[in-house]
Amino acid sequence: MSTIHDNIAKVRTRIREAAQACGRDPQGVRLLAVSKTKPAAALRAAFACGQRDFGENYLQEALAKQAELADLELAWHFIGPIQSNKTKPLAEHFAWVHSVDRLKIAERLSAQRPAHLAPLNICLQVNVSGEPSKSGCSPAELPALAAAVAALPNLRLRGLMAIPEPTADVATQRAAFARLRQLKDSLPLPLDTLSMGMSDDLEAAIAEGASWVRIGSALFGARDYPQKSSESPAG
């Protein structure tokens, strides 16, 4: 697993240099290791390098890893699309959910969050690129959704998340991330989080204020998708 060690070091260097280039404190940008399709051994190797926050897209896969890695102090983030019938285990087993895009999901997470746990940290996913196939509320829907979610018990609305349309053009990358930052700043709520930026565009995201960058392939290599999965991506 020396490759994971080297990759984490390289990504942390990229984060530090990107933050310094735009006058930000590198400590204000946190690395979320996106570990979907990767075995628990890879997460254990990342833990040995100091990584503590892990993002998963598929619920059943995540729960299996949580059981296998129960001896480690990890913070689990759910970053995939959410089906309403899957909210109970999300409320019970995760510290963060980055992909809430409708009130029904937030209400279920709030109602199902166990009383002995701290409030569940929530980001609202916004479809900043307007892609019909992409999850996320529209910018127009965001103010009402944010106000309603912020009022729910057992949740802590932290900020916004986006997965803009992929592009290699840095100006286009920055424009999408700037849009999310502007939306956050327009809300009359004490939000402190922008979850944006992945392996190919983390520098642009950091320049526009990212507080979490969600990095998968640059840490763990290409994803190991099976030919046919029994669990849907919304899982």
Side-chain angles (χ1 to χ4, degrees):
M1 292 296 180
S2 59
T3 300
I4 290 177
H5 177 276
D6 294 343
N7 289 347
I8 288 178
K10 291 175 183 177
V11 169
R12 287 174 176 162
T13 296
R14 287 177 63 188
I15 291 171
R16 183 181 69 254
E17 292 178 348
Q20 291 171 343
C22 60
R24 294 186 58 193
D25 180 356
Q27 297 299 315
V29 185
R30 300 185 66 186
L31 172 59
L32 179 58
V34 177
S35 44
K36 64 180 179 182
T37 81
K38 296 300 176 179
L43 282 70
R44 195 174 289 276
F47 177 87
C49 302
Q51 183 62 30
R52 297 293 181 268
D53 291 273
F54 292 87
E56 292 281 334
N57 291 62
Y58 306 107
L59 179 58
Q60 295 306 318
E61 177 188 334
L63 294 177
K65 290 177 190 174
Q66 289 178 6
E68 190 168 346
L69 299 169
D71 57 308
L72 304 182
E73 290 291 331
L74 305 181
W76 294 95
H77 300 237
F78 193 77
I79 59 176
I82 304 169
Q83 294 175 338
S84 58
N85 64 348
K86 302 289 182 70
T87 54
K88 190 171 189 291
L90 291 179
E92 292 174 343
H93 296 284
F94 288 81
W96 287 74
V97 177
H98 292 235
S99 47
V100 173
D101 61 1
R102 55 197 191 278
L103 183 58
K104 176 183 177 181
I105 295 296
E107 290 174 335
R108 290 177 65 90
L109 290 171
S110 175
Q112 294 167 337
R113 183 68 168 174
H116 69 278
L117 295 180
L120 181 62
N121 294 297
I122 297 293
C123 290
L124 300 179
Q125 183 172 352
V126 185
N127 187 349
V128 293
S129 300
E131 297 174 81
S133 63
K134 191 67 66 69
S135 299
C137 71
S138 70
E141 297 168 330
L142 177 62
L145 177 61
V149 173
L152 293 172
N154 307 317
L155 303 182
R156 183 183 175 194
L157 180 59
R158 298 294 297 269
L160 307 181
M161 184 270 259
I163 309 172
E165 186 174 9
T167 175
D169 182 72
V170 175
T172 304
Q173 292 173 358
R174 288 194 60 166
F177 295 136
R179 176 64 170 147
L180 193 70
R181 172 176 48 79
Q182 292 159 1
L183 289 169
K184 180 183 80 71
D185 293 344
S186 72
L187 296 172
L189 296 167
L191 305 180
D192 62 6
T193 299
L194 285 171
S195 172
M196 59 188 195
M198 296 185 285
S199 295
D200 292 335
D201 57 13
L202 71 85
E203 286 85 2
I206 290 171
E208 295 298 340
S211 45
W212 286 106
V213 289
R214 307 182 307 272
I215 309 301
S217 58
L219 296 181
F220 299 112
R223 298 204 170 97
D224 305 318
Y225 290 112
Q227 289 186 346
K228 184 175 181 181
S229 173
S230 61
E231 184 175 11
S232 72

